[in-house]
């Protein structure tokens, strides 16, 4: 079970996250002073849908809020105040300074939330990584810096008059010296296998390791065995005790050196070269093993355009990358926190690895995406606690007054709809869509068009939606409103008629009216649910655990 919070992560951290309750923090805060990210919702074939939505403005500007935060930070004596003042002297009041002023209090709160055994992974690009490292040195302590991890996020990138930028930086800090660390391994490269595992027999590929160690000995390890005397080459027998114990148990550690060597030879683990040379130890290739993971990651590829994992979110990271970090710095049952959780990759990896998790995001779009992703991957029985979303009509009304776009995204989430582009005046009467196929041979999916009204709707809104249905040749239209519909609206909607399902022949009202309260009370829209493929969101792949559970139910 995990918890999703909607809202500004600084406020959420202060209000809800207690001191020293988190084992691992991963954050990938947005920064790009000249770019707005768009979240593309892909069709099932992987191509980008025509509609898109501006998910967040990834732009930081120095303004009164930045100045206020900066002044609060420098009032507190210590390294944080010193480094922020140094930044201000060097950078002035530009976008980067605004970014650092907003990141600083969040990093302070994240350190507070970490347990003494906890670690923090800060994912950034080279534009800001050097500034963020200085900031983390001040907040986390320079002695608690553990690694600068380089992830090769793309294989090629055209860039005029400089080397192509192909990597991201992940800064790893612990809270104290007593941090959790589990050695993780990465797979062998093809080049490594070719160079080292050059031999093979009936058991598989192997490389030859030493059975001797440097220096001579006068005891058993220095005596001849099978007419081979290691002393002649200035060495002594060095039997791999760990392998013996794995094969023959703890008792083998008490055996004589000749008996240990005989046991290994009988097990087929000694390689005999041409006569006159010292034998070696066969180290067989184990595909489940590997080499200790390094701070330059080249074995985890970015998500390919056609990958089942790709959900269309612009900054989506591979689950394998997050799995590596979570395995290294936490244990099953630990709490993982992502304060910029986006489409939920950290949460997905934490759930997969048996960790508890906390996700925070400032858009209702993100929380809807994450719920959909986790449901696809782990099934609807997965428990998700959501805090910050409206749970009463009054709270929904307040959200509509505060931010009409957040209200739209939240309302669309009530019916499982996908938002469309939210630029002012550019929605063409469409706030969201549900896509489905009632005929699997059809080239394009059918559409359910959604409009959301935060104010008081009228019969004109119903007529306008009817026009959109005709223009788009959509199957069904739904008008979601905060206020109750009038009798005229209900009559106008009823006059539009019905949509007939092409497979089961059932009829569904072509234009439907729902209030937010009705949806919150469980009154769903009338739509095909059987013998239909839902194309609204690109589906996340199912976990093996869910697939196994389904197979057991089918038996």
């Amino acid at each position: 079970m995990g918890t999703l919070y909607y809202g500004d992560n600084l406020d959420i951290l202060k209000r809800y996250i207690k001191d020293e309750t988190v084992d691992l923090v991963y954050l990938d805060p947005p920064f790009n002073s000249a770019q707005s990210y768009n979240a593309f919702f892909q069709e099932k074939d992987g191509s980008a849908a025509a509609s898109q939505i501006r998910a967040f403005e990834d732009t930081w500007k120095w303004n009164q809020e930045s100045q206020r935060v900066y002044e609060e930070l420098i009032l507190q004596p210590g390294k944080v105040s010193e480094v922020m003042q140094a930044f201000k002297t060097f950078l002035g009041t530009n976008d980067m300074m605004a970014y650092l002023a907003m990141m600083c209090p969040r990093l302070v709160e994240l350190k507070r939330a970490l347990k003494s055994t906890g670690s923090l992974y800060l994912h950034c690009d080279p534009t800001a990584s050097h500034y963020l490292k200085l900031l983390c040195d001040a907040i986390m302590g320079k002695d608690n810096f553990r690694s600068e991890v380089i992830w090769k996020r793309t294989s090629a990138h055209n860039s005029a008059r400089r080397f192509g930028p192909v990597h991201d930086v992940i800064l790893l800090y612990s809270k104290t010296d007593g941090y959790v660390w589990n050695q993780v391994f990465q797979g062998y490269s093809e080049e490594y296998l070719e160079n080292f595992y050059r031999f093979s027999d009936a058991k598989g590929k192997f490389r030859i390791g030493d059975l001797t160690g440097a220096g001579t000995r006068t005891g058993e390890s220095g005596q001849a065995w099978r007419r081979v005397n290691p002393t002649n080459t200035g060495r002594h027998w060095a039997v791999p005790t760990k392998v013996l114990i794995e094969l023959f148990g703890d008792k083998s550690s008490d055996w004589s050196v000749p008996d240990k060597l005989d046991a290994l030879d009988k097990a087929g683990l000694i390689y005999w070269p041409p006569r006159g040379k010292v034998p070696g130890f066969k180290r067989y290739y184990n595909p489940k093993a590997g080499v200790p993971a390094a701070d330059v990651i080249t074995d985890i590829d970015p998500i390919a355009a056609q990958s089942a994992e790709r959900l269309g979110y612009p900054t989506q990271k591979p689950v394998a990358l997050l799995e590596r970090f979570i395995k290294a710095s936490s244990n099953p049952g630990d709490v993982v926190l992502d304060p910029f959780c986006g489409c939920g990759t950290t949460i997905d990896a934490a759930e997969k690895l048996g960790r508890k998790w906390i996700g925070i995001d400032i858009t209702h779009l993100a929380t809807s995406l994450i719920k959909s992703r986790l449901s696809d991957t782990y099934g609807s029985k997965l428990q998700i606690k959501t805090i910050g979303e409206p749970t009463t009509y009054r709270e929904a009304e307040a959200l509509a007054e505060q931010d009409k776009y957040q209200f739209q995204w939240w309302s669309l989430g009530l019916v499982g709809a996908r938002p469309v582009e939210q630029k002012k005046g550019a929605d063409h009467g469409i706030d969201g869509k549900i896509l489905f196929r009632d005929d699997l041979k059809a080239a394009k999916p059918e559409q359910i068009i959604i409009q959301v009204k935060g104010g008081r709707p009228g019969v004109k809104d119903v007529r306008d939606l009817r026009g959109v249905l005709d223009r788009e040749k959509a199957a069904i239209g739904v008008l979601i409103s905060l206020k109750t519909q009038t009798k005229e609206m209900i009559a106008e909607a009823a006059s539009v008629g019905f949509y007939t399902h092409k497979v089961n022949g059932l009829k569904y009202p072509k234009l439907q009216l729902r209030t937010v309260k009705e949806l919150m009370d469980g009154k769903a829209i009338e739509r095909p649910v059987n013998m239909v493929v839902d194309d609204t969101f690109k589906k996340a792949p199912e976990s093996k655990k869910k697939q196994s559970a389904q197979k057991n139910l089918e038996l």
Side-chain angles (χ1 to χ4, degrees):
M1 178 176 175
T3 304
L4 279 177
Y5 290 90
Y6 158 73
D8 184 327
N9 52 27
L10 182 59
D11 178 59
I12 297 298
L13 289 167
K14 289 180 176 179
R15 290 174 59 193
Y16 294 102
I17 311 302
K18 296 180 180 179
D19 294 357
E20 299 191 357
T21 54
V22 174
D23 297 281
L24 170 63
V25 171
Y26 169 87
L27 65 158
D28 183 10
F31 178 79
N32 190 317
S33 61
Q35 179 177 348
S36 294
Y37 282 102
N38 290 312
F40 293 87
F41 294 95
Q42 295 179 319
E43 304 292 357
K44 291 197 73 177
D45 63 1
S47 61
S51 60
Q52 57 179 292
I53 174 174
R54 189 174 301 273
F56 51 84
E57 290 285 344
D58 190 21
T59 304
W60 304 84
K61 299 293 184 184
W62 187 267
N63 52 29
Q64 289 182 338
E65 176 63 14
S66 305
Q67 180 68 33
R68 183 191 65 78
V69 172
Y70 170 76
E71 290 176 354
E72 290 180 357
L73 289 169
I74 64 172
L75 287 176
Q76 302 295 325
K79 295 295 184 183
V80 174
S81 175
E82 292 172 12
V83 77
M84 290 303 295
Q85 291 182 68
F87 284 150
K88 180 80 174 297
T89 300
F90 178 65
L91 294 169
T93 55
N94 60 11
D95 296 350
M96 180 63 77
M97 188 63 205
Y99 176 68
L100 294 171
M102 292 301 157
M103 282 302 303
C104 184
R106 287 162 173 80
L107 289 168
V108 169
E109 288 299 316
L110 291 169
K111 180 188 177 183
R112 175 190 60 77
L114 273 176
K115 295 178 182 177
S116 61
T117 54
S119 298
L120 180 144
Y121 288 78
L122 174 53
H123 196 134
C124 45
D125 66 25
T127 307
S129 61
H130 48 304
Y131 297 115
L132 288 170
K133 186 174 187 298
L134 285 172
L135 185 58
C136 286
D137 280 349
I139 295 171
M140 302 295 295
K142 62 182 179 60
D143 293 337
N144 290 322
F145 169 71
R146 301 302 167 191
S147 294
E148 179 180 71
V149 179
I150 303 300
W151 174 51
K152 186 181 178 185
R153 59 175 170 77
T154 182
S155 57
H157 195 290
N158 293 328
S159 187
R161 304 183 68 182
R162 63 169 175 159
F163 296 111
V166 297
H167 79 276
D168 280 358
V169 176
I170 299 96
L171 303 174
L172 170 58
Y173 284 80
S174 65
K175 189 168 183 178
T176 67
D177 285 338
Y179 61 99
V180 170
W181 181 254
N182 304 309
Q183 183 65 66
V184 292
F185 296 87
Q186 60 190 59
Y188 297 113
S189 67
E190 289 297 325
E191 182 181 6
Y192 182 90
L193 291 175
E194 290 177 6
N195 290 336
F196 289 91
Y197 288 88
R198 296 181 290 111
F199 303 90
S200 63
D201 59 19
K203 293 182 179 180
K205 291 184 177 181
F206 65 90
R207 64 186 178 93
I208 300 173
D210 287 332
L211 268 177
T212 61
T216 61
R217 299 288 187 273
T218 58
E220 286 184 341
S221 62
Q223 304 303 310
W225 173 73
R226 303 278 181 94
R227 299 183 180 180
V228 177
N229 192 337
T231 303
N232 294 338
T233 57
R235 299 178 71 83
H236 66 278
W237 295 113
V239 182
T241 304
K242 183 179 178 181
V243 175
L244 280 169
I245 291 174
E246 288 176 355
L247 291 173
F248 307 109
D250 293 337
K251 62 180 181 180
S252 61
S253 61
D254 297 326
W255 295 350
S256 67
V257 171
D259 286 344
K260 291 177 180 179
L261 292 169
D262 285 338
L264 289 177
D265 195 26
K266 187 175 181 180
L269 295 176
I270 291 182
Y271 172 76
W272 289 94
R275 187 185 259 319
K277 292 187 178 180
V278 177
F281 174 63
K282 292 183 180 180
R283 295 187 181 276
Y284 284 92
Y285 167 60
N286 179 3
K288 294 183 180 180
V291 295
D295 62 4
V296 177
I297 299 177
T298 58
D299 63 313
I300 298 178
D301 295 326
I303 305 173
Q306 302 300 321
S307 171
E309 184 181 338
R310 177 171 286 281
L311 302 178
Y313 203 78
T315 59
Q316 183 179 351
K317 303 301 185 294
V319 172
L321 184 68
L322 273 300
E323 286 182 15
R324 179 165 297 179
F325 299 154
I326 292 171
K327 286 178 180 178
S329 297
S330 70
N331 295 310
D334 284 352
V335 177
V336 177
L337 166 64
D338 186 342
F340 295 91
C341 62
C343 65
T345 301
T346 307
I347 290 169
D348 189 354
E351 181 67 33
K352 180 179 180 181
L353 295 173
R355 274 65 166 174
K356 300 172 186 175
W357 50 262
I358 299 170
I360 308 172
D361 204 274
I362 200 167
T363 69
H364 283 296
L365 168 62
T367 54
S368 294
L369 279 173
I370 293 168
K371 289 177 183 177
S372 176
R373 176 178 187 166
L374 294 179
S375 177
D376 291 340
T377 306
Y378 301 102
S380 58
K381 291 184 178 179
L382 177 66
Q383 293 183 334
I384 303 173
K385 184 178 181 181
T386 306
I387 297 175
E389 289 188 340
T391 57
T392 66
Y393 174 79
R394 292 295 184 191
E395 291 175 352
E397 192 174 40
L399 178 61
E401 293 175 358
Q402 293 167 4
D403 189 323
K404 76 171 187 176
Y405 290 125
Q406 293 290 351
F407 174 73
Q408 282 183 5
W409 293 340
W410 171 75
S411 299
L412 293 170
L414 293 176
V415 295
R418 148 178 133 184
V420 299
E421 191 170 350
Q422 297 288 324
K423 291 181 180 179
K424 292 181 179 179
D427 61 7
H428 304 294
I430 305 173
D431 293 322
K433 292 182 179 181
I434 296 172
L435 305 178
F436 68 95
R437 297 175 191 262
D438 58 5
D439 181 356
L440 296 180
K441 296 180 181 179
K444 293 183 178 180
E446 300 284 357
Q447 299 183 79
I448 299 177
I449 300 296
I450 314 290
Q451 276 191 5
V452 179
K453 297 295 179 183
R456 186 172 296 281
V459 69
K460 181 180 181 301
D461 296 312
V462 181
R463 291 169 182 160
D464 289 344
L465 180 55
R466 182 174 188 172
V468 174
L469 286 179
D470 293 339
R471 184 191 73 215
E472 299 291 324
K473 297 181 173 55
I476 296 170
V478 180
L479 178 62
I480 299 174
S481 62
L482 192 61
K483 306 295 183 182
T484 305
Q485 312 96 348
T486 65
K487 292 181 180 180
E488 291 79 6
M489 291 173 63
I490 296 171
E492 183 69 24
S495 69
V496 180
F498 295 88
Y499 164 77
T500 303
H501 193 276
K502 294 182 175 64
V503 177
N504 60 28
L506 297 177
K507 294 181 180 294
Y508 304 90
K510 194 169 181 66
L511 205 158
Q512 301 175 33
L513 308 178
R514 293 290 185 274
T515 65
V516 164
K517 187 176 185 306
E518 287 174 333
L519 293 173
M520 293 178 76
D521 289 341
K523 185 178 180 180
I525 61 176
E526 296 182 52
R527 53 162 292 190
V529 292
N530 297 320
M531 293 182 290
V532 63
V533 177
D534 193 326
D535 284 346
T536 305
F537 293 100
K538 188 172 185 290
K539 300 296 184 184
E542 292 183 1
S543 71
K544 292 181 179 179
K545 182 167 62 175
K546 179 183 173 185
Q547 292 172 349
S548 176
Q550 288 176 334
K551 287 180 180 178
N552 289 337
L553 289 173
E554 292 169 0
L555 294 177

